[in-house]
Amino acid sequence: EVQLVESGGGLVQPGGSLRLSCAASGFTVSSNYMSWVRQAPGKGLEWVSVIYSGGSTYYADSVKGRFTISRHNSKNTLYLQMNSLRAEDTAVYYCARDDYGDKGAFDIWGQGTMVTVSS
Amino acid sequence: DIVMTQSPDSLAVSLGERATINCKSSQSVLYSSNNKNYLAWYQQKPGQPPKLLIYWASTRESGVPDRFSGSGSGTDFTLTISSLQAEDVAVYYCQQYYTGRVTFGPGTKVDIK
């Protein structure tokens, strides 16, 4: 079965760090474009970061310099390292497969993991 | 970044009636070399992740009922639900993937009248 399962969310103080994981099954993370998308409570979708199959990475301006996307090929897992967290980073974080070669859109999504930044 | 806008913010439609959602991009998302519009539509129900409905502006994802259709080109797009069902109550988002820094519209909430 093709699926993505996120983990690692939780409550963290402002200025703290957290690492999110996204375990994939049924397809190979390193052969695909993979993105993180977040959704603040009651708000819309915001793209956060992408890692291309070739390894290039890109970030939204709101997280550039604070967040790092990476992957572990043998674990078939995507990561998002989040540092210097702010209250405005509070959101559900989804990982998604970007089917760039065929549909071009995000065709597989995880269930999401909640990150709360609060003192 | 390309800015996506949607209208209306919300709409209520009777069961079996048509629902129409509009999406506009701040610049064209039509790639001239392949004549494809880099525009997708997603459905999100409460407590669930988004689900891909439409890609390339008008291609229905596998398993999506044919009452959902997408149209438009360039900067103006439409998602139509031809006969609203109770299970279609959700928020609908458009997304451009013309640029690597994808952007989403603010969403349109669809309810039953």
Side-chain angles (χ1 to χ4, degrees):
Chain A
E1 181 188 6
V2 174
Q3 67 174 355
L4 294 166
V5 178
E6 300 98 336
S7 60
L11 175 64
V12 61
Q13 292 188 337
S17 297
L18 213 54
R19 188 179 81 157
L20 307 182
S21 299
C22 170
S25 55
F27 71 96
T28 302
V29 165
S30 60
S31 300
N32 286 271
Y33 292 8
M34 298 294 297
S35 279
W36 287 96
V37 176
R38 68 184 180 183
Q39 187 170 36
K43 303 298 184 182
L45 302 169
E46 180 189 16
W47 172 79
V48 172
S49 180
V50 63
I51 183 167
Y52 290 166
S53 51
S56 299
T57 59
Y58 299 91
Y59 300 91
D61 289 344
S62 57
V63 307
K64 194 177 298 181
R66 301 187 299 123
F67 290 11
T68 302
I69 190 171
S70 64
R71 66 191 182 209
H72 193 299
N73 294 349
S74 63
K75 293 185 178 180
N76 208 29
T77 298
L78 177 73
Y79 301 101
L80 186 67
Q81 177 67 43
M82 304 185 296
N83 299 329
S84 303
L85 283 161
R86 307 166 179 167
E88 54 264 36
D89 296 318
T90 294
V92 174
Y93 284 74
Y94 297 102
C95 59
R97 184 178 79 169
D98 178 346
D99 190 21
Y100 190 82
D102 182 12
K103 304 165 190 170
F106 294 1
D107 67 336
I108 302 169
W109 294 68
Q111 285 297 310
T113 187
M114 183 71 202
V115 172
T116 303
V117 184
S118 175
S119 55
Chain B
D1 290 351
I2 296 177
V3 177
M4 308 299 291
T5 56
Q6 289 181 231
S7 63
D9 294 335
S10 64
L11 74 161
V13 176
S14 300
L15 288 172
E17 295 300 305
R18 178 185 301 260
T20 301
I21 301 168
N22 300 299
C23 173
K24 190 174 183 70
S25 57
S26 60
Q27 67 184 73
S28 176
V29 298
L30 174 62
Y31 194 40
S32 56
S33 66
N34 60 10
N35 202 35
K36 287 184 174 181
N37 287 283
Y38 283 57
L39 189 285
W41 288 96
Y42 298 86
Q43 175 193 64
Q44 187 178 33
K45 297 180 180 180
Q48 295 184 20
K51 173 189 174 183
L52 177 63
L53 295 177
I54 303 283
Y55 56 95
W56 302 133
S58 60
T59 303
R60 203 177 300 114
E61 171 71 319
S62 175
V64 173
D66 60 7
R67 63 180 180 273
F68 291 92
S69 63
S71 63
S73 184
T75 61
D76 294 278
F77 301 91
T78 300
L79 175 70
T80 301
I81 309 172
S82 60
S83 176
L84 191 75
Q85 304 300 303
E87 61 265 32
D88 300 335
V89 169
V91 178
Y92 293 84
Y93 295 93
C94 61
Q95 176 212 31
Q96 67 78 20
Y97 45 98
Y98 185 85
T99 66
R101 295 161 63 91
V102 307
T103 47
F104 294 89
T108 294
K109 185 175 182 181
V110 174
D111 271 320
I112 305 296
K113 184 186 291 183

